[in-house]
Amino acid sequence: MNAVVFHRHGGADTLVYEEAPLPTVGPGDVLVRVKACALNHLDIWIREGIPAFTVPLPHIGGSDVAGIVERVGAGVTGVGLGDRVFVAPGLSCWACEFCLSGRDNLCTSYHILGTRVNGGMAEFVVVPAVNVLPIPPGLSFEQAAAFPLTAVTAWHMLFGLARLRPAEDVLVLGAGSGVGTMAVQMARAAGARVITTVGTDEKIEKAKALGADAVINHAREDTTERVKAFTAGRGVDVVIEHVGPATWDRSIRSLAKGGRLITCGATTGPTITLDLRFLYMRQVSVIGSFMGTRAELLAVAKWMGEGRIRAVIDSVLPLKEGRIAHERMRDRLLFGKIILTP
């Protein structure tokens, strides 16, 4: 099969489009013919190499996949050849205490497709049968690949951890990011008032089209001041944060008393400073979030099928242009998801 492969960690120039061995289908596995694979910032981290993810080399990235079932392994039931499926990107054991209590994203062996194992930037990918799910009605392969990882992350942050309530105020960092496009839509659909940020004026109308009530250009406006002005000095109840040190202080100071900041990423670095006095005097909560549960992914898929939220696709490129796609994501020249199609 053809695939986008890197043989060493480094920049986008390490990606090569070449022939790779067809994955072996073991008992309980399914071989999926990839029709679409969406990029995430995680793909950049994996390619560059970070301590949190040790990957075998050479490696094929790509966590978000939609396609057609090509082959099933021994013992597989409930999945048939030709089924149109998307892949749940979180790989769990389904036997540990966390999995058995419905918290499979805390699984003791939890990992993500395209990290410890090869992913979907290829013509075929093999995954456990339990990880293939029917594509929601009316969705194309591109749309089905564009939502799983970021949408389940946003759902877990907003509803699983922040416990968002109708009429609350939410600040979503980065409306054009994968998590951002989903979090803005979900918060609005849940009855919240949504403030979000973008880096250029051309993205303002796109953010409003997602349902944002107010959009801040963080490149020329102070986020905290704008949030306080929009909320009559009160601040927001929830902040959806995934940027890290570049935005951390403004995110914390945008919270109302008793507010909750949920963080799922650190795209600008891993280290922040935190004034503990602000934390306890204003009784705010800071909660870490990673992916989401299978039940939450099914809830997301239901909303997708009902049209309550939609996949935001920036562009669709052929698989052989994987390097160009990585460069476009690195340079933040996007609003929504970049999709690769074999």
Side-chain angles (χ1 to χ4, degrees):
M1 68 175 183
N2 292 314
V4 176
V5 184
F6 60 89
H7 293 259
R8 59 182 176 85
H9 293 294
D13 61 327
T14 62
L15 296 171
V16 292
Y17 181 68
E18 64 183 22
E19 286 190 359
L22 192 68
T24 301
V25 182
D29 289 339
V30 168
L31 182 70
V32 176
R33 179 183 290 273
V34 178
K35 303 296 286 185
C37 178
L39 292 188
N40 294 282
H41 204 90
L42 175 63
D43 294 304
I44 293 178
W45 291 336
I46 295 300
R47 188 202 71 224
E48 292 177 341
I50 57 174
F53 296 96
T54 301
V55 303
L57 296 175
H59 190 70
I60 300 169
S63 304
D64 276 330
V65 177
I68 298 172
V69 175
E70 185 82 6
R71 190 180 307 166
V72 298
V76 172
T77 59
V79 179
L81 300 182
D83 286 356
R84 298 175 77 254
V85 298
F86 72 95
V87 176
L91 302 171
S92 306
C93 73
W94 300 108
C96 70
E97 61 176 304
F98 297 110
C99 287
L100 294 176
S101 63
R103 297 174 292 167
D104 47 282
N105 61 325
L106 290 173
C107 174
T108 54
S109 63
Y110 190 85
H111 57 291
I112 301 172
L113 183 68
T115 58
R116 296 183 198 170
V117 297
N118 284 332
M121 292 179 65
E123 292 178 316
F124 296 92
V125 64
V126 66
V127 296
V130 71
N131 279 74
V132 296
L133 301 168
I135 292 177
L139 265 62
S140 66
F141 288 114
E142 291 81 5
Q143 292 168 326
F147 81 86
L149 189 149
T150 53
V152 76
T153 298
W155 186 286
H156 186 59
M157 295 174 80
L158 285 168
F159 307 128
L161 298 176
R163 308 292 183 187
L164 181 68
R165 297 183 292 271
E168 287 193 310
D169 290 331
V170 182
L171 171 63
V172 176
L173 275 292
S177 67
V179 170
T181 58
M182 287 296 177
V184 169
Q185 294 181 78
M186 289 176 183
R188 182 59 183 268
R193 189 167 63 161
V194 185
I195 307 170
T196 191
T197 66
V198 295
T200 64
D201 284 342
E202 67 180 4
K203 294 181 179 180
I204 292 176
E205 291 306 315
K206 293 180 179 180
K208 288 182 178 179
L210 293 177
D213 295 280
V215 183
I216 302 166
N217 183 343
H218 63 76
R220 58 177 175 78
E221 299 176 288
D222 185 285
T223 300
T224 303
E225 289 183 0
R226 283 292 313 278
V227 166
K228 291 298 178 68
F230 189 71
T231 60
R234 179 180 176 274
V236 295
D237 301 288
V238 175
V239 173
I240 298 301
E241 163 70 58
H242 52 92
V243 181
T247 56
W248 186 264
D249 185 63
R250 291 189 291 274
S251 293
I252 285 285
R253 295 186 179 280
S254 295
L255 285 169
K257 283 189 174 182
R260 298 92 75 195
L261 183 150
I262 317 297
T263 178
C264 72
T267 55
T268 60
T271 305
I272 54 96
T273 58
L274 179 63
D275 187 334
L276 290 175
R277 296 168 297 182
F278 187 90
L279 200 67
Y280 62 74
M281 290 295 292
R282 296 184 65 82
Q283 301 183 64
V284 301
S285 301
V286 175
I287 306 172
S289 179
F290 186 63
M291 296 291 287
T293 68
R294 180 62 58 84
E296 290 170 327
L297 179 58
L298 292 173
V300 167
K302 184 174 184 289
W303 270 25
M304 289 289 297
E306 294 171 349
R308 297 183 67 179
I309 56 175
R310 62 183 175 87
V312 179
I313 296 175
D314 172 84
S315 52
V316 179
L317 301 174
L319 179 63
K320 63 182 179 180
E321 294 185 7
R323 180 186 300 182
I324 294 173
H326 268 240
E327 291 171 344
R328 182 174 176 84
M329 174 167 278
R330 176 201 63 198
D331 296 337
R332 300 180 183 178
L333 301 174
L334 73 165
F335 191 98
K337 306 292 286 187
I338 299 174
I339 311 294
L340 295 173
T341 56

